Coordinates of all heavy atoms in Angstrom, one line a residue:
Chain D
E691 N -15.2 -11.8 24.6 CA -13.9 -11.4 24.1 C -14.1 -10.7 22.8 O -13.4 -11.0 21.8 CB -13.0 -12.6 23.9 CG -12.0 -12.7 25.0 CD -10.9 -13.6 24.6 OE1 -10.5 -13.6 23.5 OE2 -10.5 -14.4 25.5
L692 N -15.1 -9.8 22.7 CA -15.3 -9.1 21.4 C -14.3 -8.0 21.1 O -14.2 -7.6 20.0 CB -16.7 -8.5 21.4 CG -17.7 -9.4 20.8 CD1 -19.0 -8.7 20.8 CD2 -17.4 -9.8 19.4
S693 N -13.6 -7.6 22.1 CA -12.7 -6.5 21.9 C -11.3 -6.8 22.3 O -11.1 -7.7 23.2 CB -13.2 -5.2 22.6 OG -13.1 -5.4 24.0
Y694 N -10.4 -6.2 21.7 CA -9.0 -6.4 22.2 C -8.3 -5.0 22.1 O -8.7 -4.1 21.4 CB -8.3 -7.4 21.3 CG -8.2 -7.0 19.8 CD1 -7.0 -6.4 19.4 CD2 -9.2 -7.3 19.0 CE1 -6.9 -6.1 18.0 CE2 -9.1 -7.0 17.6 CZ -8.0 -6.4 17.2 OH -7.9 -6.0 15.9
P695 N -7.3 -4.8 23.0 CA -6.7 -3.5 23.0 C -5.8 -3.3 21.8 O -5.1 -4.1 21.4 CB -5.9 -3.5 24.3 CG -5.6 -5.0 24.5 CD -6.8 -5.7 24.0
S696 N -5.9 -2.1 21.3 CA -5.2 -1.8 20.1 C -4.9 -0.3 20.0 O -5.1 0.4 21.0 CB -5.9 -2.3 18.8 OG -5.2 -2.0 17.7
F697 N -4.5 0.2 18.8 CA -4.1 1.6 18.7 C -4.8 2.2 17.5 O -5.2 1.5 16.6 CB -2.6 1.7 18.5 CG -1.8 1.1 19.7 CD1 -1.4 -0.2 19.6 CD2 -1.6 1.9 20.8 CE1 -0.7 -0.7 20.6 CE2 -0.9 1.3 21.9 CZ -0.4 0.0 21.8
M698 N -4.8 3.5 17.5 CA -5.2 4.2 16.3 C -4.4 5.4 16.1 O -3.7 5.9 17.0 CB -6.7 4.6 16.4 CG -6.9 5.8 17.3 SD -8.6 6.2 17.3 CE -8.5 7.9 17.8
R699 N -4.4 6.0 14.9 CA -3.5 7.1 14.5 C -4.3 8.2 13.9 O -5.2 7.9 13.1 CB -2.4 6.6 13.6 CG -1.5 7.7 13.3 CD -0.2 7.2 12.8 NE 0.8 8.3 13.1 CZ 1.9 8.5 12.3 NH1 2.1 7.8 11.3 NH2 2.7 9.4 12.6
C700 N -4.0 9.4 14.3 CA -4.6 10.6 13.7 C -3.8 11.0 12.5 O -2.5 10.9 12.5 CB -4.7 11.7 14.7 SG -5.4 11.2 16.2
F701 N -4.4 11.6 11.5 CA -3.7 12.1 10.3 C -4.0 13.6 10.1 O -4.2 14.0 8.9 CB -4.1 11.3 9.1 CG -3.5 9.9 9.2 CD1 -4.3 8.9 9.7 CD2 -2.2 9.6 8.9 CE1 -3.9 7.6 9.8 CE2 -1.7 8.3 9.0 CZ -2.6 7.3 9.5
G702 N -4.1 14.4 11.1 CA -4.4 15.8 10.9 C -5.8 15.9 10.4 O -6.7 15.1 10.7
Y703 N -6.0 16.8 9.5 CA -7.3 17.0 9.0 C -7.5 16.3 7.6 O -8.5 16.4 7.0 CB -7.6 18.5 8.8 CG -7.9 19.2 10.1 CD1 -7.9 20.6 10.1 CD2 -8.0 18.5 11.3 CE1 -8.1 21.3 11.3 CE2 -8.2 19.2 12.4 CZ -8.3 20.6 12.4 OH -8.5 21.3 13.6
R704 N -6.5 15.5 7.2 CA -6.6 14.9 5.9 C -7.5 13.8 5.9 O -8.1 13.4 4.9 CB -5.2 14.4 5.4 CG -4.4 15.5 4.8 CD -3.1 15.0 4.3 NE -2.2 14.6 5.4 CZ -1.2 13.8 5.3 NH1 -0.9 13.4 4.1 NH2 -0.4 13.5 6.3
S705 N -7.7 13.1 7.1 CA -8.6 12.0 7.1 C -9.0 11.7 8.5 O -8.4 12.2 9.5 CB -7.9 10.8 6.5 OG -8.2 9.6 7.2
Q706 N -10.0 10.9 8.7 CA -10.4 10.5 10.0 C -9.3 9.6 10.6 O -8.6 8.9 9.9 CB -11.6 9.6 10.0 CG -12.9 10.4 9.6 CD -13.5 11.1 10.8 OE1 -12.7 11.5 11.7 NE2 -14.8 11.2 10.8
P707 N -9.2 9.5 11.9 CA -8.2 8.6 12.5 C -8.4 7.2 12.1 O -9.6 6.8 11.9 CB -8.4 8.8 14.0 CG -9.1 10.1 14.2 CD -9.9 10.3 12.9

Side-chain angles (χ1 to χ4, degrees):
Chain D
E691 259 195 40
L692 267 181
S693 66
Y694 60 96
S696 178
F697 302 94
M698 72 176 205
R699 185 161 201 209
C700 309
F701 292 96
Y703 288 168
R704 278 183 291 161
S705 143
Q706 290 278 32

